[in-house]
Structure formats: C-alpha cells, structure tokens
Amino acid sequence: MSEIPETASAVVWQSSPPGSIYDYIKVASFSIGPDGLIDQWSRRAAEQFGLESDQVRGKDPVEVFMPDELRPRGHRKVAEILDGKEWTGLVPFRMPGDGGAHGLAEVYVMPSETEGGERAALCIVVDVRALRRIETDLAASEAIFGQSPFGFLLFSTDLTVLRANQRFVTVFGGAAEDHRGRTVHDYLSRSEAERMTAALRRVLETGEAVTDLQIIGSPPGSAERRHWSVNLYRVHSGSGRPIGVAGLGTDVTRRQIAAREAASARRNLALLNEASARIGNSLDLETTARELLDVAVPGFCDLASVDLYQGLLTGDEAPPGHWGAARPEGYGSGSAELRRVAFASAVSDALLGSGDGGSGAGTPASPQVGAVHRYPFSSACAGALRTGRVKAIPGEDGSLVQSTLAVPMVAHDTVVGLAQFSRAKGSEPFGERDRALAVELAARAAVCIDNARLYRREHERALILQRSLLPPGDPEAAGLDIACRYLPGNTATEVGGDWFDVIELPGHRTALVVGDVMGRGLRAAVAMGELRTAVRTLALLDLEPAEVLSALDEIARGLGSPSGAQQASRVAHKSRGPELSEVYLATCVYAVYDPVTRRCTFANAGHLPPVLVEPGEEALMLDVPPGMPLGVGGEPFEEVQVDLPEGALLALYTDGLVESRDHPLDEGLSAFRRALTDPVLPLEDVCDHVLSTLDTRHGEDDIALLMARIQGMPAEAVGDWRLPREPRSVGRARELARTQLVAWDLEPLVDTVELLVSELVTNALRYGEGEIRLRLLRDRTLVCEVWDAGLVQPRRRRAKDTDEGGRGLQLVGLLSAAWGSRRTPRGKTVWFELALPDGDSTSEPSVDQLLSMF
C-alpha cells in the first residue's frame, strides 16, 4: 500500500466542523437484533425521539414508536426485514414530550448479521420535517439568488467569486460558471477594484456590513460610465463560521444623474440668490462687472471675463449695442471696440498659459484688464454680440480650457458687452441648465451695468448743472478777500439745494448771497438754479437787499406752478391737490458790501444769521431780522446796515454746517463761532479748519460756506467831490478828473474820462436836480460816478441826423467798458467803467463809429 501524502492525509482525516449538512438533516441510527428488539441506540436517535438508550434498549420498536392502530402492520414489516428484505418508507412516530404529537420519519432499513450468523437490521432515520425545511430553504435561497433583479455575487474567503446570479451575468456577459474564480479586478478599474477589495476584506474580518458603497465602472464593450451601489455582508455557516461575503449590487446611474441634476439645480438657485444679493450693489460699471465674476468663479466656472463697449464707458449718448438703432461703424458687426473691465480665475497662473481671449480659442486670459480690443468679424464672440445669442466655444488642443460660453450682456434690448465663462479640462461640461444660468447671470449684471451707465450719464449732467450754478472757484471782489466751500449732502448725486454767489455791483460794490432750497437731489438743485439766476438778474438791477428778497419771494411762489402763473398755481393747489403744484421754500441771506465805506447792508429770508469776527474779538452773530422763508409770502423784509472794521471776518453759511440730528442747533452755532475765533490764518485755511473741526456729519445735508475778510478801499484810491448846480461845474469836473488820473498815473485814460465826465455832468445839470457829486474809484478797474437828486433815470436813444444833441449816452456806451444807472436813497447815480491801461483795455473806437453818432 502506497504511502498517503501528508497533506492528503490531513484532508481525508480532518474532522467536519459543527454546522455541517448532517446537523441540518438530523440523521439518526439504531439497530434491531434477531429477536426484533432494539439492541443499539445512537445519541442522535435519543435527541430526535427524545428517548434515552436505557428506555428503548431491549424493547420492541413498534411498541415504542408507533401508534396503536399501526402496530399490526409494523410487526409484519419488522418480520419481513428480519427475513432479509431491505425497506425504505415513511414511518409515523410519537414526538418527544407529553403532548402526544406525531412526527414523520423517513426510515432506511438494511439487513445485517450478527457474529453468530443470525439476521438483524440497521435502521437509518431522517426527520422528514427537517428535509422539507432544507428543501424550502434551498428553493428560497435559489430564488433570491438566481431570480433577483440585482446583481448578486458570493465571494469565498479568498475573495474570489463562488457564484454569480443571472442579473450579474446579463451585465458582464458569459455564463454563470465563467465567473467562478474571478476577482473584482476582472470587472473594475484599478482604483475602484482596490476600493472594493479593501471593503470585502474589512467585511470578512470584522463582520460589519457595508452599505451603499458607490462604485463606478463600465460593462464589457461599453464606454458608458455606470454607477453601482454595492452592499456587502458576511455569510456564516449554521455554527457561525464565516464562509464568505455576499455582494448585492444595484445600478444607480439614473439616480446619480437625477441627483447630479438636482444638485446642479440647487447650485444654480444658490448662485442666482447670491447674484441677487451681490450684483448691483454699486453704481459703478467696473465694480458691477467684478461682482458678476465674484459670483461666477469658482461656483459656476473656472475662468471668466467681462468686456464692455468702449463707447459705453466713454459716455456715448447712443448705446452701441442697441438693436435697430443707428450705430457707428463696426457696432452692428459685433467687432466694435471693447474694453476688458474684469477677469477672474480659479486656475493657477502657471497653468493658465496664454490664449486669444475671444477669437475662438476659448480662454479669456488675454487681453489684459483695461485693454481695448476688437473681436474679428468671423469669431464666435463677434457672432454672439451680433446676434445677441449664446455661443459655445470648444477649447483648442493643448489648451487648459475645456469649453467657453460667450454670453452677450443684454439689458432692455441693449447689448452692453460680453461675458465669457470657461471651464477647465477635468471639470463637468456645460449643460443646458448651465447655458440658461449663464444667460441669467449675464442679464442681471447687464441690467445693473445699464443702470450704472444711465446713472453715470445723469450724474455727469447733474454735476455739470451743479457746477454751472456755483460761482468759479476763486471769486474776486473789490475790498474783499473771499474763500468758499460747497459740500453736497447727497453723496450719490453730488447735487443739492444749497448755493452761494458773489456778484459784482456798480461802484466796486459786491453782493454776497447764501441760500438753501429745502429738500435734496436734482429737483432742489433745479429750483436753486432758478433762484440763483433770479438773484443775479435782480442784483444787476441794483435793487436794495430787501427789494431783492421780496422779488425772490414772488418768484419762489411761482416755481411750483405748472403754468408759471401764480394764480393758476394757487387754484391748482386748492382744487386738484398738491401733486400738480409743489411748494418751493428756500432761505436766503443777501448782503451788499461797499468797500469805500466798509458798510454792509443785510437782508434775511428765514436764514441763519451771519457771523462776524472783528480783530481781537470773539465771533458774534449779527442781529439781522430773519424774516420768512422765500415762497411763504405776505411779509416784508427788513434791512440792517453794519459798519465792518478793517480785517474783520464775515461768514455766511447754510444749516448743514451747524445742524445735525446728533446735537441741537445752538451747540452747532457755538462750535462754529469757536472755530472762527482765530481769524489771523489765511482765509482758505480758516475754511478748512472750520470743516475739519465741526461735526458736520457730511452726507446728512448740503453745506455751503462763504467767508470774506474785509479789506476796505484805501482813501487814496477814492476821489470824491461835490459840485454846485451851475454850468461851470462841467469844466471843474473835467479838471478834477484830470488831476486825479495824473496822480494815479493813469494819463492814457485822461482824454476819455474828461469827455465822458463832461457828458454825465452835463446830463445831471440838464435833467437832474440838486447838488452834483463826482466820484472816481480806482481798484481793478476805474469807475466814475455822477450823483444827483433827480429820480428820472437816463435813457439811451438814437439821435436823428438833424438833432444837435442826444448822443451823449451813446458816446458813453461806446467808449466805456460798461455803464449804467441806479437809484440811491436821495436820487440816482450814473456811472461808467474803464479798464486800467495795464489790464484788458477796451479798444479805441474807430473814426467811423464816432462819426456814426453825428
């Protein structure tokens, strides 16, 4: 006999572990001796029948197991078996216990012989119920495994496939037997197979199940990526010994697609919500473009840029991309000049490389931000601008960009620019939802950019209006050093209702005006402009300050009337409501300063009082009766005359400088006076000191500040004489004027001044009344005034060829830079003005001009 190898011997003689098939089918055995009685009883028989060996040994098995009605038949069968016949059949028996229940056993009886040659029998007994239960379990297991709509694999302990069901075979091909012995590496990519193997090993070692393990792969012969959800659990024998791992796989590709679409929809909604919150917070074109990119990168794409039409940025009236409108050359083709105003990237600059930025390459890396460029006519970007539709641009070979969406930015049928959204290779491609989202993002930004464009246009117009209504930066006046400041309260529009003005009056006098239209914004600025124009017109009439304010009050009451008529305004206001007739109220202080006398005449219409700072003294508020605001009507205005010392500081201002919601008006006025107590600084520095010292809360209200330092006209610059009312006063006036001009080194003006003084004094003698006064004033110009007590104003007329007179005022108008007349408290004054020789002198009249008057 050949020697059995050690390994084979170990296999042959290895004990079956508990939980084998025999434990499930419950096989028992006993033997019957020649006398028909039980002589051997196995332990399994004791467990199955519930009788110990001492209870059955030596007894008749028929009497022990069978019911009474079956015993005769049982005795016959035992006799036949002892005669040497084999028998197999079903035998009922009593179940263990007191209940008397009957069981059914399948018995296989084999004849045998004793040592003495006598016939006996060996009985093998199987519990039929256990067999049926095993059959049912096997059928159920086969149904679950084989008929399952899910892929089912059974892995052995070495992680190779033991069984595969039909569903798995349908997906991966072949027959079920073909898959036996394979591993997950035969079905999945390396990375996915390693993840699956690690999960199998962990389940086998720990016994902890793995649920919903996401695996990605492709069936044989298909490039389609599929998603599977795999559940793994360890399989045990009846005794609990691990015998393998069961894997149940479900194709969840559609679910993944749906989940991805749902996630995309949620992301898009989140992006739109973020866009609503972040885009359009500024009325600046470039800032709005950057806000769009802040939302899009990296939440929507990897790279993005915004190009706006150059004409849009430079303030062209007609939007360059308005469909149907007349546009400059190049705009209709989509290849007009654009400026790159914003660019954003979530990709490293080192990886970005270079691109054409719009010729179709698909990367918007160039041109650089701020560069002006054009798109070629045949490019996709030009096509998008031309048609107003999105263009998808694939990335070039070797480019980092996978694809680009060129999206025209359209607002109110106006193409304002182009937005480009790009995704790098490796990112998810753009889908239809992405295209719709890109259009929505670009449209929202376009509306904000168009609003910013309109705001910029209106803002520039408002600034032009505001600046045109304010005096020049450095107004000049005789006998005054002037500094002024204006700060609009509405920082968004930089326009308001406060104003100030410096108006030159005849006789080197100066009108100082500060006013405040109640309200803010452009409407207040327009009303302010009308009032300021009216003030200038009234000032040129040389009316007294109280008369100027009375006329302004009438004008203010008519501003709200649609027809411009005061009575119509009142009727509309009463009958149809205030929406058709607005009430414009304003405050104003009007002061006229005479540098010869250093006297200032004030009139106030509801405005804050002027502040005066005399040298070495504290600032004080002048007691000027405030009167009622302009537009109220019905109340006269009072005048106050104040003599101002040399070097004094006069300040006119609006309430925005001293009034705030954080402190009462009195505190603001006190702080203002304290800020003015040191008037020795240069006037510009005083203005800056006031604005920096006071808590003006700039932005709450407009601020206007007009400051003037008194510098009276020197006595040597004034010539003043009184002449009797007699003919020889004409010659005396010429002589006085000639002597004064020579003293002032103004000999070039002597002849002209003598001639004009003669004409004015002659007119005063002929048409005036009372004593005649001649006054010469030398400052930036030369002014000559002739005073008399008559009230009749001189009137210039055209003399006929046959008239011997009537040409004097024509001569004055021709030879002087300016001339006019004004009323005085005791008559009138007729004056003319000449430029100094070293200034912009008026050209001498020609001979023809002089002869044309005669």
Side-chain angles (χ1 to χ4, degrees):
M1 178 174 140
S2 60
E3 183 178 354
I4 299 176
E6 183 179 353
T7 54
S9 175
V11 173
V12 171
W13 295 105
Q14 179 180 359
S15 299
S16 295
S20 66
I21 189 61
Y22 301 103
D23 294 323
Y24 286 101
I25 63 176
K26 296 184 177 180
V27 177
S29 65
F30 63 91
S31 61
I32 302 175
D35 55 0
L37 302 177
I38 299 173
D39 61 358
Q40 290 187 5
W41 188 255
S42 68
R43 289 186 177 278
R44 282 189 179 273
E47 294 174 359
Q48 185 169 341
F49 294 104
L51 297 171
E52 296 297 331
S53 60
D54 56 354
Q55 293 178 285
V56 297
R57 190 177 296 117
K59 293 183 179 181
D60 186 347
V62 175
E63 297 293 334
V64 173
F65 301 116
M66 288 189 176
D68 294 341
E69 65 273 12
L70 296 179
R71 288 176 182 173
R73 185 181 178 187
H75 286 299
R76 289 194 301 270
K77 288 296 181 183
V78 172
E80 292 177 359
I81 292 170
L82 294 176
D83 285 340
K85 292 183 179 179
E86 292 186 1
W87 180 78
T88 302
L90 297 177
V91 177
F93 63 93
R94 288 192 297 252
M95 296 288 293
D98 299 332
H102 291 273
L104 188 63
E106 184 174 350
V107 181
Y108 176 50
V109 181
M110 296 175 289
S112 63
E113 293 183 356
T114 64
E115 292 181 358
E118 295 176 309
R119 292 186 178 181
L122 176 63
C123 299
I124 305 297
V125 182
V126 178
D127 190 341
V128 172
R129 291 177 306 163
L131 289 176
R132 297 294 181 267
R133 191 162 53 246
I134 291 173
E135 290 175 353
T136 301
D137 291 345
L138 289 174
S141 298
E142 184 60 30
I144 293 173
F145 189 84
Q147 301 173 23
S148 172
F150 310 114
F152 216 142
L153 284 178
L154 180 61
F155 294 91
S156 66
T157 55
D158 61 356
L159 305 185
T160 59
V161 177
L162 287 177
R163 290 190 65 185
N165 73 341
Q166 187 58 40
R167 177 59 181 167
F168 183 85
V169 171
T170 301
V171 174
F172 286 93
E177 288 298 323
D178 297 336
H179 296 276
R180 187 182 298 273
R182 292 184 178 180
T183 67
V184 293
H185 288 273
D186 297 315
Y187 307 106
L188 303 173
S189 64
R190 180 177 178 180
S191 59
E192 293 294 277
E194 290 176 351
R195 283 204 311 123
M196 182 75 171
T197 301
L200 287 169
R201 185 172 291 112
R202 186 168 61 254
V203 171
L204 188 62
E205 292 174 354
T206 65
E208 296 179 359
V210 171
T211 58
D212 198 21
L213 176 64
Q214 297 294 318
I215 298 296
I216 301 175
S218 300
S222 173
E224 182 182 5
R225 290 165 60 88
R226 310 295 294 177
H227 295 259
W228 291 290
S229 173
V230 178
N231 298 312
L232 302 175
Y233 59 92
R234 192 167 67 182
V235 179
H236 305 85
S237 66
S239 63
R241 180 175 57 87
I243 61 173
V245 178
L248 181 66
T250 307
D251 192 332
V252 293
T253 304
R254 292 184 179 179
R255 188 174 73 187
Q256 288 290 331
I257 294 174
R260 187 165 57 248
E261 291 179 350
S264 176
R266 288 193 299 270
R267 181 200 64 188
N268 292 355
L269 289 175
L271 280 174
L272 289 177
N273 183 56
E274 185 181 5
S276 300
R278 297 181 61 181
I279 299 176
N281 292 323
S282 169
L283 287 174
D284 180 75
L285 298 172
E286 293 82 355
T287 302
T288 302
R290 288 193 296 270
E291 290 170 347
L292 168 62
L293 301 193
D294 290 341
V295 172
V297 179
F300 176 67
C301 61
D302 300 314
L303 303 97
S305 66
V306 174
D307 299 319
L308 297 181
Y309 277 114
Q310 177 70 357
L312 186 81
L313 297 168
T314 56
D316 288 351
E317 281 295 319
H322 194 281
W323 298 324
R327 289 173 284 178
E329 181 182 357
Y331 283 113
S333 65
S335 56
E337 284 189 344
L338 297 106
R339 185 193 304 173
R340 176 138 307 172
V341 296
F343 172 74
S345 171
V347 182
S348 171
D349 293 340
L351 298 175
L352 188 59
S354 61
D356 65 1
S359 61
T363 172
S366 63
Q368 299 297 319
V369 173
V372 178
H373 63 99
R374 294 176 183 266
Y375 289 118
F377 179 83
S378 60
S379 67
C381 292
L385 290 169
R386 190 166 50 249
T387 62
R389 296 181 179 180
V390 182
K391 298 293 184 181
I393 309 173
E396 291 183 341
D397 294 339
S399 171
L400 176 69
V401 172
Q402 176 193 93
S403 60
T404 297
L405 293 179
V407 185
M409 304 179 71
V410 183
H412 311 118
D413 291 338
T414 299
V415 180
V416 298
L418 184 74
Q420 295 184 69
F421 306 102
S422 301
R423 287 183 179 174
K425 291 181 178 177
S427 298
E428 184 178 349
F430 286 115
E432 288 302 318
R433 280 196 177 94
D434 295 324
R435 291 169 67 99
L437 177 62
V439 171
E440 180 66 20
L441 290 175
R444 293 193 180 199
V447 170
C448 296
I449 287 174
D450 194 50
N451 290 340
R453 175 185 67 84
L454 296 175
Y455 163 76
R456 176 179 289 183
R457 184 184 66 185
E458 297 304 320
H459 177 63
E460 290 176 352
R461 290 177 177 177
L463 284 180
I464 292 173
L465 170 64
Q466 182 77 39
R467 290 164 183 166
S468 67
L469 297 178
L470 294 175
D474 297 316
E476 296 181 356
L480 293 176
D481 181 15
I482 296 177
C484 49
R485 295 289 187 274
Y486 174 79
L487 298 175
N490 187 348
T491 56
T493 60
E494 297 187 16
V495 293
D498 289 13
W499 91 92
F500 65 90
D501 209 344
V502 178
I503 307 170
E504 293 188 45
L505 300 177
H508 288 312
R509 294 171 304 133
T510 303
L512 303 176
V513 189
V514 169
D516 182 2
V517 176
M518 297 182 185
R520 299 184 185 178
L522 191 58
R523 298 176 63 84
V526 172
M528 175 268 286
E530 296 185 17
L531 291 178
R532 178 180 179 273
T533 302
V535 169
R536 279 192 160 265
T537 302
L538 295 171
L540 294 179
L541 295 177
D542 212 354
L543 302 177
E544 295 297 322
E547 295 177 332
V548 171
L549 293 186
S550 296
L552 275 182
D553 181 55
E554 292 293 330
I555 294 172
R557 281 188 287 168
L559 288 180
S561 173
S563 63
Q566 177 182 342
Q567 185 63 31
S569 172
R570 293 172 181 171
V571 173
H573 185 71
K574 293 179 180 179
S575 62
R576 287 181 287 175
E579 68 276 7
L580 297 179
S581 177
E582 293 190 59
V583 177
Y584 286 89
L585 297 179
T587 63
C588 179
V589 60
Y590 184 90
V592 175
Y593 172 70
D594 188 342
V596 178
T597 62
R598 289 200 301 272
R599 180 173 297 161
C600 193
T601 304
F602 296 93
N604 191 354
H607 203 80
L608 294 173
V611 175
L612 179 66
V613 186
E614 297 185 7
E617 302 291 337
E618 293 184 355
L620 58 90
M621 299 175 64
L622 296 179
D623 187 13
V624 180
M628 299 299 292
L630 302 176
V632 175
E635 294 292 333
F637 298 96
E638 300 182 36
E639 292 182 359
V640 173
Q641 289 187 345
V642 179
D643 292 329
L644 305 178
E646 184 78 15
L649 188 64
L650 179 66
L652 306 179
Y653 54 95
T654 57
D655 56 0
L657 183 67
V658 295
E659 190 174 20
S660 171
R661 67 183 65 178
D662 295 333
H663 56 74
L665 177 61
D666 291 342
E667 290 184 9
L669 290 173
S670 298
F672 180 42
R673 298 206 325 262
R674 288 194 299 271
L676 292 174
T677 54
D678 186 11
V680 297
L681 296 173
L683 204 54
E684 293 291 337
D685 294 342
V686 174
C687 286
D688 294 337
H689 175 69
V690 168
L691 294 179
S692 61
T693 301
L694 297 184
D695 183 16
T696 59
R697 299 285 179 176
H698 177 47
E700 292 184 0
D701 197 2
D702 306 335
I703 295 175
L705 175 62
L706 176 61
M707 304 189 71
R709 177 166 282 140
I710 306 303
Q711 298 174 350
M713 188 173 291
E716 59 271 15
V718 179
D720 194 354
W721 306 276
R722 298 182 183 273
L723 303 173
R725 191 171 186 81
E726 55 187 29
R728 64 179 182 176
S729 293
V730 176
R732 177 61 178 164
R734 288 198 301 268
E735 180 183 354
L736 292 173
R738 181 189 313 110
T739 303
Q740 186 65 65
L741 292 178
V742 171
W744 286 342
D745 296 327
L746 297 178
E747 288 86 352
L749 299 180
V750 169
D751 294 339
T752 303
V753 171
E754 283 187 341
L755 176 61
L756 298 185
V757 164
S758 297
E759 293 294 333
L760 294 185
V761 173
T762 300
N763 283 345
L765 289 172
R766 182 176 300 176
Y767 305 109
E769 299 177 5
E771 187 181 36
I772 299 172
R773 181 181 178 185
L774 172 65
R775 189 166 75 167
L776 294 178
L777 306 175
R778 181 180 185 272
D779 193 72
R780 290 173 297 151
T781 61
L782 176 69
V783 173
C784 176
E785 298 176 331
V786 176
W787 304 43
D788 70 76
L791 297 178
V792 179
Q793 298 290 323
R795 180 174 59 88
R796 181 176 177 179
R797 64 184 180 87
R798 182 75 179 180
K800 298 179 181 179
D801 294 342
T802 58
D803 291 345
E804 296 182 358
R807 299 178 179 85
L809 293 182
Q810 293 187 42
L811 187 64
V812 173
L814 182 64
L815 296 179
S816 65
W819 78 279
S821 67
R822 68 178 185 274
R823 290 181 298 171
T824 64
R826 289 183 296 273
K828 68 176 182 296
T829 299
V830 183
W831 57 271
F832 66 84
E833 184 175 0
L834 294 174
L836 300 182
D838 54 352
D840 296 331
S841 60
T842 305
S843 61
E844 293 293 331
S846 64
V847 175
D848 293 338
Q849 289 175 318
L850 292 174
L851 292 178
S852 67
M853 296 185 295
F854 297 93

